[in-house]
Amino acid sequence: MWPRYFTSCRKVYRASQLVPLINSLLQPNYVCSNFTNLLSRRIHHENKIEKQQCKDVWNNFTYRSHTCGELRPRHIGQNVVLCGWVQYQRLSKFLLLRDAYGITQCVVKENENLSDIPLETVVKINGTVAMRPMKMSNSKMPTGQIEVIIEDLQVLNTVDKLPFNLRDYQKPKEQLRLQHRYIDLRFPDMQSNLRKRSQMLHSMRRYLVEDSGFIEVETPTLFCRTPGGAREFVVPTHHSGLFYSLVQSPQQFKQMLMVGGIDRYFQVARCYRDETTRSDRQPEFTQLDIELSFAKMDGVLTLIEQLLYHSLSQNIPRPPFKRMTYKYALENYGTDKPNMTYDLQFKNISHLLCDISTEPCFRAYALPYTTQLGKLTSKYKEIVREIAKKNSVKVVLNESIKKEFGDDFIYKTEINRDMSVIVCIGNNENTCLCLGEIREIIASLLQAKGLLETEVGLVPLWVVDFPLFLKSEKGLQTCHHPFTAPHPEDKHLLDREPLKVRSLAYDLVINGCEVGGGSVRVHDVELQKKLLKMLDIEPHSLTHFLNALKSGCPPHAGVALGIDRLVALACKADSIRDVIAFPKSHEGKDPLSGAPNIISEEDKQYYHLPS
Amino acid sequence: MWPRYFTSCRKVYRASQLVPLINSLLQPNYVCSNFTNLLSRRIHHENKIEKQQCKDVWNNFTYRSHTCGELRPRHIGQNVVLCGWVQYQRLSKFLLLRDAYGITQCVVKENENLSDIPLETVVKINGTVAMRPMKMSNSKMPTGQIEVIIEDLQVLNTVDKLPFNLRDYQKPKEQLRLQHRYIDLRFPDMQSNLRKRSQMLHSMRRYLVEDSGFIEVETPTLFCRTPGGAREFVVPTHHSGLFYSLVQSPQQFKQMLMVGGIDRYFQVARCYRDETTRSDRQPEFTQLDIELSFAKMDGVLTLIEQLLYHSLSQNIPRPPFKRMTYKYALENYGTDKPNMTYDLQFKNISHLLCDISTEPCFRAYALPYTTQLGKLTSKYKEIVREIAKKNSVKVVLNESIKKEFGDDFIYKTEINRDMSVIVCIGNNENTCLCLGEIREIIASLLQAKGLLETEVGLVPLWVVDFPLFLKSEKGLQTCHHPFTAPHPEDKHLLDREPLKVRSLAYDLVINGCEVGGGSVRVHDVELQKKLLKMLDIEPHSLTHFLNALKSGCPPHAGVALGIDRLVALACKADSIRDVIAFPKSHEGKDPLSGAPNIISEEDKQYYHLPS
């Protein structure tokens, strides 16, 4: 991967600088070690260098000569043109000019008065770069050593009173920010998040196209309904009674691309799900969709690990990532997406307590944690009780363990006697899920008191061997989607014990958040038909897809990563809304335009909609 | 731009090869000239090199060892694993295996019989590479010097009888191809088109992100209706009477990004227009959407020229591209998107014939062309008459010129006497458009006879100075869109003679096809309100947008390129459908699934649709 270094650091080595560079590398032995050195530094410095690299191109095609973040003492004496927003004025003499790249202090001439220019006015300044007087130099500001003496100031656009100030220390409520997103985007964190998002996606594309021979193919979003998934938006047409559906993912298309011999496909795809009644979901979202032919699970997992290491290198550990079966995750963390940034694992102790119940589903789990936390407050006891009730599970807190299970119980569990313990027992499959929820609460309490070592970066985990089916009200439902292949070792159970069949599905979990998933797909049309039948899905709506499977479909596997979540994690943003330029707010409402809106009578007639 | 060379040719210089490379560059003088040389070769060889570069990565993460296009005499003796489709069988002995990268001849062992494997079966072959016997070597096939002796053949998937054969010389009708697109994609031209599309978009992104400091921002597609544009699809929601509209372009969002200080934006954006009743349009299409702050028209035009030169370098001339005013284009070519691959221009001769009519709109134009074409056949005369009639214009063919206008007429026009001439005269603005249509017919006739020198590559042209308004039935309509800025020299005409006001809009025309357009935008809220009023557009639905303009909106300009058309031109495809993986066919119908379809009663109730 070394040549990338050259691209990344183009600022450092221009053609004209090559002679001294090559001279400095004259001794062959030195060359290699030095380049290896450069190489190893690449990954950690890529972001920093990427910024350098672009610095001199930000002004191309514009009428500014420099950005507001660019001027340094080496520019002193130069005539410059800056464009930006008035960030601040002081003493009618200093004007701070801001753009996306930084802030520059500009000095108003003696006899001029610019105090009537409101903040956030858009201006163009023609001036000369000067050294700031020594004591006025500001080391916290990248441009803090210089100032620009204004020769000419032109107001490019006036500004009305804004609904909120652009001060980081008095950030407005999110609702107001979203309603005026075009102002909110000027905050440094929004600028940084959107730029990081663009850079991450670009790195991913470079890895996939240049380093891995994938091609990006755009697939339609106006399609027919895919049975057995989330609710899909429908799009009425001029033809009465006929509707498109907005795709919830390019799943069918990417599998058909495999049939078509496009054997290494990806797409940064817009997907739609009508979950607008859930407040934390976006009706449209972005996923990095990948599929490849002649590959097994291991190939896909390695690909994604390399991809993420390439594009998130500072934040993610070196591959391979940890892997864990679905069963192990449930038995030890009480969830299929355990947060592995901290080490808090529970124990299956069912065998110790099997005399309590004769139910076949009886389970008991113990969660040990440091005694330093002390007793739970009554508020948290109440929360734990609620969780227990919801799951129909009995919870025994540390202080009641001896009373409930006897004095030597902890000894039998082989848990360190100095630890506190919470135990969940129950006659249903929720028992471990219940303790999983409690685990997260205990973790947050421990973290708040500094009693839990927690990784600050991203901690990825593969969860594999998901079940193929889950129980549904009517019979069976898929755990992932109906195109997931069963685990070859469990195929014999398909007819007799379908709920015991594992699938070749895998999920990527980062810091307890599911950021992606995929599977080896069914490529055999008969098996696919059988699975649809077991799931009670009418095959008619998938005729084209089933035809594709019998037209020479190669074995294939793939994955989809949720870009909004992944970027939010990488940016340490609280919400995916902070990494989306124009997100919808609660219930899918667009805070800017108020959409969804009423439409015209003419449109209603044209689309045969009730008026 | 030199460091890109290193990335492009990573195959050539790996870290371990650096010592001899550096040694060969020891003399400083040699270094520079050699690197300059490399540099200048970069652009023309990029595509070729790009291919080399990826060659060894196509097998990563899969269980094949090589692609079917990769084996050469240097692999002889190696054990290889190939996966692909059975392309052809011969004499029950030879089996041609095909994948996306080529075809390899495989040899069946003596005692085996594979003749019952149908064509297009998916197989995995384990074998040894051997030299073909001299006289069996095929120089037309990249793998033609070798063959693979099959040790083990595994059928990965069987195949039913296909609806058509994969033979280039008997290509099925388009309707059948689209209905089974998953098979059609295996044709070499579809493979090549999709790969070229991916590569072009990737080059564009690299230019924008790495060489020009742009960031890609994804904007919503579920939004409110934009007044004054094309018909937009509506998307019903669970809230009775409330609808999203699918955006016809990210226009409002990109302008709001400018207000938000994202000053160099682009997006490869999915756009929607309900023009499904027009047979040659796709309801969804892709545009490269670009906007930048503090830029004028010249900046945007230069940016796009550089961008296209970078990503289409073999096919497009070196910038700057030709520019022409809208008025000049109409007066000389009779269209606002003249095809400049050939030189066939007409003359305004209104002044010579102004005694014919006193109408203020009277116009006369003459189109000269080589006499070698001879007289038009009666079929073409009929076509010309139809065009004349449609436009209410009088057409005088070459043989009638003297009779109609007198013997010395040609002399007065200053057209070479050896040329044939067609003249259009009329009392309306269609006169030049009429001769423009005839120009295209004459051009195709001349081309068919080899009488017109025609450029084979792409010939780009900027058309500038479009009018701001066009006449509509009710009053005024926009020529581009309501956010286009008027030409500063014509602002004084806005109230008195709006139809004479030029705009700061520009179109990119390639080979007579409009592939993109853009404009300097209105950034002044009062001017924007005035224009909306003149266009009779209710400002209420644009409240958020008008608020943005008065919140500190920088001057900005942008452009949108139609990617489907641009790729079709670059691929020399007949139709944009040939560069789209899954296009809709006539009237927006999806040939695979039959969408748009009927939907369930439950969906109808949920979305308050008539049942």
Side-chain angles (χ1 to χ4, degrees), chain A residues 229-261:
Chain A
R231 184 179 288 283
E232 290 174 348
F233 287 106
V234 298
V235 181
T237 66
H238 183 47
H239 302 285
S240 175
L242 297 183
F243 298 80
Y244 296 113
S245 291
L246 287 174
V247 292
Q248 56 186 293
S249 92
Q251 186 65 34
Q252 288 190 47
F253 290 113
K254 68 177 175 174
Q255 293 196 243
M256 289 193 280
L257 286 173
M258 295 302 116
V259 179

Side-chain angles (χ1 to χ4, degrees), chain B residues 432-448:
Chain B
C432 61
L433 300 179
C434 176
L435 192 54
E437 288 186 56
I438 295 169
R439 172 182 175 266
E440 280 174 32
I441 286 164
I442 295 293
S444 65
L445 287 173
L446 290 168
Q447 280 167 335

Side-chain angles (χ1 to χ4, degrees), chain A residues 324-423:
Chain A
M324 183 183 291
T325 66
Y326 171 82
K327 199 174 163 210
Y328 186 89
L330 284 187
E331 294 270 315
N332 289 275
Y333 302 95
T335 170
D336 59 358
K337 34 179 185 283
N339 186 336
M340 305 297 284
T341 55
Y342 48 83
D343 181 25
L344 204 59
Q345 188 168 349
F346 48 78
K347 271 192 120 155
N348 187 339
I349 51 164
S350 311
H351 59 289
L352 299 180
L353 298 172
C354 52
D355 50 345
I356 291 179
S357 166
T358 55
E359 284 282 329
C361 274
F362 173 78
R363 289 283 183 285
Y365 298 92
L367 172 70
Y369 58 94
T370 176
T371 46
Q372 287 179 274
L373 185 63
K375 274 193 184 180
L376 296 187
T377 62
S378 54
K379 178 185 158 197
Y380 279 97
K381 281 185 185 165
E382 184 55 37
I383 293 175
V384 167
R385 259 195 295 275
E386 286 294 325
I387 295 173
K389 194 172 155 194
K390 187 183 71 184
N391 287 293
S392 314
V393 166
K394 179 173 175 180
V395 176
V396 182
L397 296 179
N398 190 54
E399 51 265 43
S400 316
I401 294 283
K402 285 192 184 172
K403 185 181 141 206
E404 194 81 29
F405 304 119
D407 282 352
D408 60 345
F409 173 74
I410 288 294
Y411 173 74
K412 285 192 285 182
T413 61
E414 296 172 359
I415 290 169
N416 188 326
R417 282 180 159 262
D418 298 338
M419 301 291 271
S420 295
V421 170
I422 290 178
V423 170

Side-chain angles (χ1 to χ4, degrees), chain A residues 186 218 221 244 274 286 551 607, chain B residues 218 272 274 286 551 588 607:
Chain A
R186 295 181 202 156
E218 300 151 72
T221 57
Y244 296 113
D274 188 359
T286 304
S551 304
Y607 290 118
Chain B
E218 299 152 72
Y272 300 85
D274 188 0
T286 304
S551 304
Y607 291 118

